[in-house]
Amino acid sequence: MTCVLAIDIGGTKLAAALVDEAGSILRSATRPTPPADVMSVLAALIAEVLDGGPPPQAVGIGCAGPLDLATGTVSPVNMPSWRKFPLRDEVRKLTGLPTMLAGDAQCFALGEHWLGAGRGCSSLLGIVVSTGIGGGLVIDGAPLLGPTGNAGHVGHMSIDPYGERCECGGRGCVERYASGPNMVRWALENGWSPATAAEPRQAPALHASEPTVPGAQQPHLSGDGRAYDGSPAGVGVAGRNGGAGRDGSVERDGVVERDAALDRGSAAERDGTVGRGRTAEGDGIVGRDGATEGGGAVERDRTTEGDGAAVRRDRATEGDGIVERDRTAEGDGAAVRRDEVAERDGVVGRDGAVERTEVKVDARALARDAAEGHPVAVAAFERGARALAGMIASTAAAAEVTTVVIGGGVSAAGDILFDPLRRAFDDVAGLDFVRVVQVKQSTLGVRAGLAGAANLAWQAIRPSS
Ligand SMILES: [Zn+2]
């Protein structure tokens, strides 16, 4: 039995698997990403997967970015203990094997091309729409990584040179319109507030393609084997959880996938959003603080828009990490006042209002309301979809990709995103070879990164794979 070792490194989870040439998982395991000393946990994880299994011939690693392929170093935004960490050399030393490294979104694209929605196509653009927007290109079957490994950063393609300033320093980036937090931000600014007070329901944010019956004998990265769901301990847990565990798995998948997707802060940033969001229930506290520190500004916000709206907007704004940008970019008094409130919300939250529960103001809630026809929620998805369509048409024109596969937490909205996306693409795309591009939803979900890492390793030793 020949196999490779695939490793998927994200801000919340480390995953490793032995994968054969057909994409079957021979052994797999996961560990939570520790706040420090990640390498020793990764080494233990690798040892666990290798123990008793067939010896792999090469290693493929997909890692959250940014990374530098020229030096083999990584500096994942969500893993502050790794800055210019020589991941490729460390794993090569540890295993004594040829070791390949690529970004997580690039591995997503490779995985979908190998075993997922893009199987069999010649050239593919993979897009991960989540807290940020990442991407990867597979051209004529091979990954296009670029000299430093940063090819495929489609989230920071400008679709409006006069558009809003992006966190990256650019202007009019797709991410500014179509990432989860930015769609939520825009919706809040335009009068949306989550309609329901329940904890997030599952529809419509689930992976329709996720298997519902675990436990088949031969786990496969494509999901055909139905056993590996990206959950801790991989195959084993999926089997043990059985049907009852699926809910949890799906929920977890959503989180994991969002995380895997990111260019920048996922878990931490999202937690921040939620945490602050929870505090916002303490309207009285927020209002009092506002009155103390921000004076009339807060009162005006509350008068004009009502407590709920003002507070929710603040959450989203700060959750994005764009508070400063908003001030600069928008420059109007209202924006500044909003942001000031937002910052205070954070303080209030840390002070202890965190226990309160309330509606999560996130892309999942936005998708749910869009599905129910809330006009602003619908418009937020249409706006994001249009930005994605412009980016996709531009990329297709430049690289003649034939298939586009979209994954990440926001893509789990399904038709809520894909219907307006296909309509917008039909409007935006002109040239025949662009118009025929197939836009598809990911079928691998959280497995795509591991599949791509495995494929990266296989390509290194058998370039025809
Ligand atoms: Zn940007």
Side-chain angles (χ1 to χ4, degrees):
M1 177 67 74
T2 57
C3 65
V4 295
L5 173 62
I7 299 171
D8 185 17
I9 296 174
T12 56
K13 186 195 67 167
L14 311 174
L18 291 178
V19 180
D20 74 10
E21 208 163 356
S24 295
I25 299 173
L26 310 177
R27 298 174 62 82
S28 69
T30 68
R31 302 273 170 90
T33 304
D37 205 9
V38 182
M39 192 59 215
S40 60
V41 173
L42 180 61
L45 176 70
I46 290 172
E48 180 186 340
V49 170
L50 294 183
D51 183 35
Q57 298 176 304
V59 185
I61 309 170
C63 186
L67 44 76
D68 183 353
L69 285 194
T71 57
T73 56
V74 301
S75 310
V77 172
N78 288 335
M79 298 164 63
S81 68
W82 273 7
R83 286 295 171 265
K84 300 192 182 217
F85 181 79
L87 178 62
R88 190 174 54 200
D89 287 350
E90 289 290 323
V91 172
R92 186 184 282 147
K93 257 190 286 179
L94 191 70
T95 60
L97 295 168
T99 300
M100 310 296 294
L101 173 67
D104 49 4
Q106 291 164 330
C107 283
F108 167 84
L110 262 181
E112 290 288 345
H113 180 264
W114 185 32
L115 300 169
R119 198 188 314 212
C121 79
S122 62
S123 293
L124 172 145
L125 166 64
I127 308 170
V128 182
V129 185
S130 179
T131 304
I133 295 180
L137 287 156
V138 180
I139 302 296
D140 297 329
L144 180 73
L145 303 177
T148 64
N150 285 299
H153 262 77
V154 293
H156 298 283
M157 285 172 63
S158 177
I159 45 94
D160 181 359
Y162 302 100
E164 296 174 9
R165 186 66 73 189
C166 177
E167 276 180 89
C168 75
R171 191 181 283 287
C173 295
V174 175
E175 187 171 294
R176 186 70 188 162
Y177 302 83
S179 73
N182 276 306
M183 285 200 292
V184 167
R185 174 185 57 86
W186 183 88
L188 292 167
E189 286 173 359
N190 285 276
W192 173 68
S193 61
T196 43
E199 279 298 296
R201 293 191 300 252
Q202 292 188 349
L206 299 189
H207 307 293
S209 58
E210 284 291 316
T212 52
V213 184
Q217 271 69 31
Q218 177 74 317
H220 193 279
L221 280 166
S222 70
D224 300 343
R226 298 177 172 184
Y228 181 79
D229 66 349
S231 55
V235 174
V237 164
R240 274 199 304 280
N241 280 354
R246 294 308 301 177
D247 289 350
S249 300
V250 168
E251 191 69 35
R252 195 163 56 236
D253 285 356
V255 171
V256 169
E257 182 169 347
R258 268 197 298 280
D259 172 61
L262 300 188
D263 285 327
R264 57 178 65 88
S266 60
E269 190 168 335
R270 198 168 50 248
D271 286 348
T273 307
V274 172
R276 284 171 203 117
R278 286 176 183 150
T279 69
E281 275 303 322
D283 279 354
I285 298 172
V286 172
R288 204 160 53 236
D289 276 8
T292 308
E293 297 175 29
V298 173
E299 294 307 324
R300 173 125 62 106
D301 266 359
R302 301 174 73 199
T303 311
T304 314
E305 305 166 52
D307 297 359
V311 166
R312 288 191 192 96
R313 172 184 303 175
D314 297 338
R315 278 180 240 149
T317 305
E318 181 164 304
D320 288 349
I322 52 165
V323 171
E324 296 302 325
R325 298 284 182 192
D326 268 5
R327 279 181 186 163
T328 316
E330 299 182 24
D332 66 280
V336 171
R337 282 192 290 274
R338 274 203 308 276
D339 296 338
E340 283 169 353
V341 176
E343 286 170 342
R344 276 193 299 279
D345 282 352
V347 175
V348 172
R350 282 190 291 276
D351 282 349
V354 210
E355 296 309 309
R356 299 166 192 272
T357 58
E358 62 155 81
V359 189
K360 279 190 182 172
V361 184
D362 58 10
R364 188 179 294 221
L366 187 67
R368 191 170 59 226
D369 281 0
E372 289 170 4
H374 188 299
V376 176
V378 169
F381 271 90
E382 286 183 344
R383 184 171 179 271
R386 197 161 184 83
L388 287 170
M391 175 267 277
I392 290 169
S394 299
T395 305
E400 200 173 355
V401 296
T402 56
T403 302
V404 175
V405 179
I406 304 179
V410 174
S411 76
D415 291 345
I416 298 300
L417 175 69
F418 282 82
D419 284 350
L421 174 55
R422 292 193 177 103
R423 279 199 305 273
F425 185 76
D426 196 49
D427 179 51
V428 166
L431 296 169
D432 285 346
F433 77 94
V434 174
R435 294 186 62 79
V436 297
V437 166
Q438 301 278 308
V439 179
K440 300 178 173 181
Q441 187 170 2
S442 160
T443 57
L444 296 185
V446 296
R447 295 180 300 270
L450 212 49
N455 189 246
L456 197 64
W458 278 118
Q459 294 218 15
I461 53 180
R462 294 181 193 172
S464 60
S465 288

